[in-house]
């Protein structure tokens, strides 16, 4: 706790109501959460507990009904949709459950477009994208279209797209849900490595118990409220937090 | 990447691309042909006026076009005009419908133009056989090659009968067509007078002013001096002839109406295909927005799609229009294409596609990136 780094993202008392009239639902009921660099945080909870809603708010994709969100020191409360897009562009990378790659673009182009929307259009941007794809193990797939890639490969392209612009925050919704065991592990290992080596804050929403072993921190959400948080004790290697969780479960 | 994405979006659905391009092509061809015919008709109507070397035209009061004059002006008007300050020359020109009797029998109407080229007024133009000197020979006349059949002749040397006398083909023009479908026949002023049996009358006086003269002032002075005659600038006379033949007859309205219809149909088709393409790629645009792209970036992708369609559609459309141009060359109403019209059509295509992009752009302004996680 001594040199706890400054949070890059800080959410305080977030409330979100969705729908209207009789169908109005309070999806998030006062959640607070901070993300610091160098950590992979998992957000876990039952279906319908508000994970996706909270993630969308943290990602400046959805605005909250009340509560405060600060991204890299900027308060988001009064920003319009273009200013929110600007924040996303500057600080965030996103990974989706169904990859959301552009089917008409190659793997390399899918990554390049993330830099292109940031105005990075030169040759070095292209080199950077190749480098990132190589880093996620897709050096041989640069010119392949998503339709010709396996699910695991597609998600790795998506990871490359998320980190190509060197964002301080990476947000992922169920990144392994569509992947088999081996590919799921590969993607989680990649996310853990991105957090560690590149000192980014990575937050992944997940149901998947296989992902536990990669987490530095697990935040639990139920019915729109944060109900608990487990942190891997300092000095423990990643797999140990999984053991810890297992033991806790066993103990009841 | 904007262009790349636009290209891929377009070529992703070949059938829709084909529909888009056919829509643009159809539109361009229709507009090009209609306006090309309009220009062709305009050229026919004004070619004699354009070739005449005159600052001002004196015509009988109420003359509606080049072909509508009679021979009501006399040497009196000529003297009055010559006495006007600023006038350098006043050159008579006869233009009058006449009966042409074919050598093998039967007859048709021609517009007989009587002009002395050495006066520097209207010199027979686009001659491909013979020269205006040849027209000075006894009985000599020049007609256009296009109308040989109609005139019942085969070429130079053939004879026919006009009004009171015999004429012999001594020179041939090419491409001097007549909007009234009565061929122009060129002869000298005196032979025209002789054929019509009128020793003094003329249809027009072509007025040339001295260098530096104020043409508007000369026009005003002439109007004050001449009674029963009108004095028009070259431009005014052109406009009046065009109005008479293109608008009083409704021909021009039909051509312009056809062009407008082409623009409308093209815009609707392109708007429709672009909109459905955008709808199909909405998921991708939503992802782009979630990734932090500005809405401007997305508009640019859609506008690029519109622009690429415009350029490809234009190239195809103008090529077909040029083929039609060549095919129409020997018809009664040949189409005309000028660099200005080609450029104007390009601007029109781009404008049409840009307007078509509006509905697609409206669609993407409604994108809510929040749906990106819910699929
Ligand atoms: N647009 C909406 N209108 C009304 N209610 C909604 C809307 N979107 C989500 N909800 C409700 O809000 C609650 C939280 O939804 P959310 O998608 O955040 O849950 P989740 O934890 O991500 O679930 P899952 O694990 O199934 O993805 C749910 O009860 C859901 O039915
Ligand atoms: Mg969810």
């Amino acid at each position: 706790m001594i040199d706890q780094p400054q949070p890059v993202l800080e959410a305080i008392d977030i409330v979100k109501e969705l729908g209207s009239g009789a169908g109005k639902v309070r999806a998030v009921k006062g959640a607070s959460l901070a993300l610091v660099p160098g950590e992979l945080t998992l957000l876990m909870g039952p279906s319908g507990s508000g994970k996706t809603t909270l993630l969308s708010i943290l990602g400046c994709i959805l605005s909250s009904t009340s509560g405060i969100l600060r991204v890299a020191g900027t308060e988001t409360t009064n920003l319009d949709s273009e200013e929110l897009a600007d924040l996303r562009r500057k600080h965030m990378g996103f990974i989706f459950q169904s990859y959301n790659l552009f089917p008409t673009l190659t793997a390399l182009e899918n990554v390049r477009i993330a830099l292109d929307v940031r105005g990075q259009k030169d040759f070095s941007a292209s080199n950077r994208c190749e480098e990132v794809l190589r880093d996620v193990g897709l050096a041989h797939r640069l010119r392949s279209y998503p339709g010709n890639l396996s699910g695991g490969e597609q998600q790795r392209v998506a990871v490359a797209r998320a980190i190509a612009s060197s964002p301080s925050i990476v947000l992922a919704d169920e990144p392994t849900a569509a992947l088999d065991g081996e590919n799921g592990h590969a993607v989680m290992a990649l996310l853990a490595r991105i957090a560690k080596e590149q000192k980014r804050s990575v937050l992944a929403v997940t149901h998947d118990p296989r992902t536990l072993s990669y987490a530095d921190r697990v935040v639990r959400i139920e019915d729109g409220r944060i109900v608990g948080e487990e942190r891997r004790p300092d000095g423990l290697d990643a797999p140990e937090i999984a053991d810890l969780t297992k033991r806790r479960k066993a103990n009841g | 990447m904007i262009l790349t994405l636009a290209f891929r979006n377009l070529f992703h659905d070949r059938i829709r691309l084909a529909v888009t391009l056919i829509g643009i092509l159809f539109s361009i061809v229709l507009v090009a042909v209609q306006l090309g015919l309009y220009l062709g008709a305009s050229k026919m109507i004004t070619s004699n006026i354009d070739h005449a070397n005159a600052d001002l035209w004196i015509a009988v009061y109420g003359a509606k076009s080049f072909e509508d004059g009679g021979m009501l002006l006399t040497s009196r008007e000529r003297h009055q005009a010559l006495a006007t300050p600023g006038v350098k020359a006043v050159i008579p020109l006869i233009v009058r419908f006449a009966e042409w009797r074919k050598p093998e029998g039967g007859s048709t109407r021609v517009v007989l133009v009587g002009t002395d080229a050495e006066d520097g007024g209207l010199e027979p133009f686009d001659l491909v056989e013979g020269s205006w000197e040849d027209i000075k020979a006894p009985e000599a006349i020049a007609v256009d090659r296009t109308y040989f059949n109609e005139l019942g002749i085969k070429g130079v040397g053939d004879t026919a009968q006009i009004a009171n006398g015999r004429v012999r083909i001594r020179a041939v023009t090419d491409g001097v067509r007549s909007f009234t479908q009565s061929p122009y026949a060129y002869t000298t002023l005196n032979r025209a007078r002789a054929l019509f049996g009128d020793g003094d009358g003329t249809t027009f006086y072509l007025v040339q002013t001295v260098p530096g003269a104020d043409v508007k002032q000369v026009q005003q002075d002439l109007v004050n001096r001449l009674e029963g005659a009108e004095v028009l600038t070259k431009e005014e006379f052109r406009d009046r002839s065009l109005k008479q033949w293109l608008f009083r007859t409704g021909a021009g309205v039909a051509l312009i109406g056809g062009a407008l219809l082409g623009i409308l149909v093209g815009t609707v088709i392109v708007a429709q295909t672009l909109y459905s393409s955008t709808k199909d790629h909405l998921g991708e645009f939503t992802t782009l927005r979630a990734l932090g792209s500005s809405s401007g970036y997305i508009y640019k992708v859609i506008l690029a799609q519109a622009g690429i369609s415009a350029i490809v559609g234009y190239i195809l459309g103008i090529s077909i229009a040029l083929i039609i141009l060549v095919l129409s060359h020997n018809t009664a109403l040949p189409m005309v294409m000028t660099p200005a019209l080609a450029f104007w059509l390009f601007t029109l295509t781009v404008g049409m596609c840009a307007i078509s992009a509006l509905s697609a752009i409206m669609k993407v302004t409604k994108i809510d990136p929040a749906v990106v996680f819910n699929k």
Side-chain angles (χ1 to χ4, degrees):
Chain A
M1 290 292 125
I2 297 156
D3 30 77
Q4 180 73 354
Q6 277 299 107
V8 286
L9 183 146
E10 203 174 5
I12 303 162
D13 241 354
I14 299 290
V15 173
K16 180 65 187 179
E17 289 174 350
L18 288 169
S20 57
K24 192 139 132 184
V25 175
R26 228 168 214 241
V28 180
K29 303 173 177 168
S32 299
L33 185 68
L35 299 180
V36 296
E39 277 191 358
L40 169 59
T41 306
L42 297 185
L43 182 61
M44 303 189 83
S47 184
S49 56
K51 302 183 296 294
T52 297
T53 309
L54 182 58
L55 187 79
S56 306
I57 291 169
L58 300 180
C60 299
I61 280 177
L62 195 64
S63 41
S64 61
T65 307
S66 70
I68 293 170
L69 175 66
R70 263 193 291 272
V71 177
T74 308
E75 256 227 50
T76 62
T77 317
N78 292 318
L79 301 185
D80 66 23
S81 67
E82 291 302 319
E83 290 166 326
L84 290 174
D86 208 44
L87 268 189
R88 294 198 290 277
R89 202 156 59 224
K90 283 191 181 129
H91 303 290
M92 298 187 184
F94 292 93
I95 298 161
F96 311 97
Q97 177 174 341
S98 39
Y99 325 130
N100 292 22
L101 297 178
F102 290 65
T104 58
L105 300 182
T106 63
L108 183 60
E109 289 165 339
N110 262 286
V111 179
R112 273 192 55 192
I113 200 160
L115 293 186
D116 201 69
V117 301
R118 291 168 167 84
Q120 302 172 26
K121 297 164 192 280
D122 56 359
F123 195 66
S124 72
S126 180
N127 284 342
R128 159 100 187 127
C129 294
E130 272 194 52
E131 200 178 289
V132 176
L133 276 167
R134 216 168 273 135
D135 194 41
V136 300
L138 291 174
H140 57 302
R141 297 304 235 158
L142 298 179
R143 314 248 178 279
S144 301
Y145 288 90
N148 300 327
L149 295 174
S150 74
E153 287 170 328
Q154 289 188 56
Q155 195 61 304
R156 279 188 279 156
V157 175
V159 172
R161 177 175 69 181
I163 61 173
S165 62
S166 304
S168 45
I169 305 158
V170 175
L171 301 174
D173 193 14
E174 313 262 9
T176 61
L179 301 177
D180 62 20
E182 199 179 327
N183 279 308
H185 279 292
V187 166
M188 286 314 294
L190 193 55
L191 291 179
R193 184 158 68 80
I194 287 163
K196 279 280 113 34
E197 288 176 5
Q198 304 174 359
K199 291 280 170 256
R200 304 184 205 287
S201 307
V202 183
L203 176 69
V205 161
T206 174
H207 273 120
D208 184 354
R210 294 172 301 179
T211 59
L212 273 172
S213 56
Y214 297 94
D216 296 299
R217 183 162 77 119
V218 178
V219 176
R220 303 216 175 251
I221 183 170
E222 264 170 42
D223 191 25
R225 292 190 180 85
I226 307 284
V227 294
E229 181 173 330
E230 292 142 60
R231 178 172 287 280
R232 187 175 68 208
D234 284 342
L236 283 188
D237 280 341
E240 296 176 42
I241 195 169
D243 294 341
L244 203 72
T245 316
K246 261 185 223 149
R247 257 179 279 136
R248 262 188 212 156
K249 272 200 180 141
N251 296 343
Chain B
M1 284 305 284
I2 289 177
L3 274 182
T4 311
L5 193 58
F7 257 109
R8 303 286 170 81
N9 282 354
L10 280 176
F11 285 86
H12 178 63
D13 189 336
R14 304 280 164 95
I15 291 179
R16 180 159 48 214
L17 178 64
V19 172
T20 311
L21 294 181
I22 288 170
I24 298 173
L25 182 152
F26 169 81
S27 185
I28 297 295
V29 170
L30 193 58
V31 176
V33 169
Q34 299 283 325
L35 293 185
L37 291 179
Y38 181 90
L39 285 187
S42 306
K43 188 182 154 202
M44 284 186 199
I45 291 164
T46 63
S47 63
N48 280 290
I49 302 174
D50 291 337
H51 278 93
N53 184 14
D55 300 315
L56 295 166
W57 288 66
I58 299 174
V60 67
Y61 193 82
K64 295 192 192 71
S65 71
F66 183 73
E67 288 83 358
D68 182 43
M71 285 172 68
L72 300 171
L73 299 178
T74 62
S75 44
R76 205 168 76 96
E77 281 90 4
R78 180 154 191 266
H79 292 308
Q80 286 171 334
L82 276 172
T84 307
V87 171
K88 187 181 79 183
V90 178
I91 303 155
L93 174 68
I94 292 174
V95 182
R96 195 168 164 185
F97 282 102
E99 188 81 6
W100 172 283
R101 256 163 285 152
K102 305 175 192 176
E104 310 285 324
S107 72
T108 185
R109 251 156 52 110
V110 296
V111 177
L112 187 66
V113 180
T115 174
D116 285 336
E118 57 265 53
D119 289 348
L122 176 63
E123 180 181 322
F125 51 98
D126 293 345
L127 287 164
V128 287
E129 270 183 80
S131 68
W132 62 264
E133 304 278 0
D134 294 323
I135 300 173
K136 292 199 288 191
E139 301 180 342
I141 199 162
V143 293
D144 198 83
R145 188 185 264 173
T146 325
Y147 298 108
F148 278 1
N149 251 340
E150 209 177 320
L151 296 173
I153 51 170
K154 295 206 171 52
V156 169
D158 283 0
T159 57
Q161 191 71 28
I162 288 186
N164 298 330
R166 202 165 80 126
V167 291
R168 186 185 292 276
I169 314 298
R170 289 285 189 182
V172 175
T173 62
D174 186 27
V176 182
R177 291 195 183 71
S178 164
F179 187 74
T180 63
Q181 298 306 315
S182 296
Y184 294 115
Y186 295 88
T187 188
T188 60
L189 188 72
N190 282 333
R191 186 156 319 105
R193 281 186 172 148
L195 288 169
F196 288 123
D198 181 339
D200 187 45
T202 185
T203 315
F204 302 107
Y205 283 116
L206 307 182
V207 178
Q208 293 169 350
T209 56
V210 296
D214 176 353
V215 174
K216 280 278 159 197
Q217 185 57 51
V218 175
Q219 181 184 21
Q220 194 52 52
D221 288 350
L222 284 169
V223 168
N224 294 340
R225 271 163 203 259
L226 300 169
E227 282 166 30
E230 274 193 275
V231 185
L232 302 169
T233 62
K234 190 170 188 163
E235 274 312 306
E236 286 165 350
F237 192 43
R238 275 182 105 250
D239 287 351
R240 185 180 285 197
S241 293
L242 285 174
K243 261 195 207 113
Q244 166 66 13
W245 293 120
L246 289 178
F247 295 99
R248 297 252 161 73
T249 64
V253 179
L255 291 174
I256 289 176
L260 288 177
L261 193 71
I263 296 173
L264 188 71
V265 170
T267 309
V268 169
I269 293 178
V270 178
Q272 181 54 39
T273 54
L274 206 55
Y275 181 81
S276 72
S277 159
T278 303
K279 236 172 105 180
D280 280 5
H281 295 282
L282 211 56
E284 288 154 46
F285 290 133
T286 307
T287 303
L288 262 186
R289 193 80 174 110
L291 292 181
S293 98
S294 62
S295 31
Y297 188 94
I298 296 173
Y299 302 159
K300 280 186 206 154
V301 175
I302 293 173
L303 285 173
Q305 281 182 237
I308 294 166
S309 309
I311 291 169
V312 178
Y314 175 79
I315 292 171
L316 295 176
I318 206 81
S319 312
I320 292 181
L322 289 176
I323 293 173
I324 296 175
L325 176 90
V326 171
L327 293 180
S328 80
H329 185 71
N330 286 316
T331 64
L333 181 49
M335 192 181 138
V336 167
M337 174 63 63
T338 63
L341 177 58
F343 178 76
W344 191 86
L345 282 171
F346 181 69
T347 316
L348 177 82
T349 317
V350 171
M352 191 172 86
C353 288
I355 287 173
S356 305
L358 282 181
S359 60
I361 285 179
M362 298 289 265
K363 181 84 188 162
V364 297
T365 53
K366 299 206 187 84
I367 282 183
D368 179 4
V371 301
V372 77
F373 285 120
N374 298 329
K375 36 178 225 167

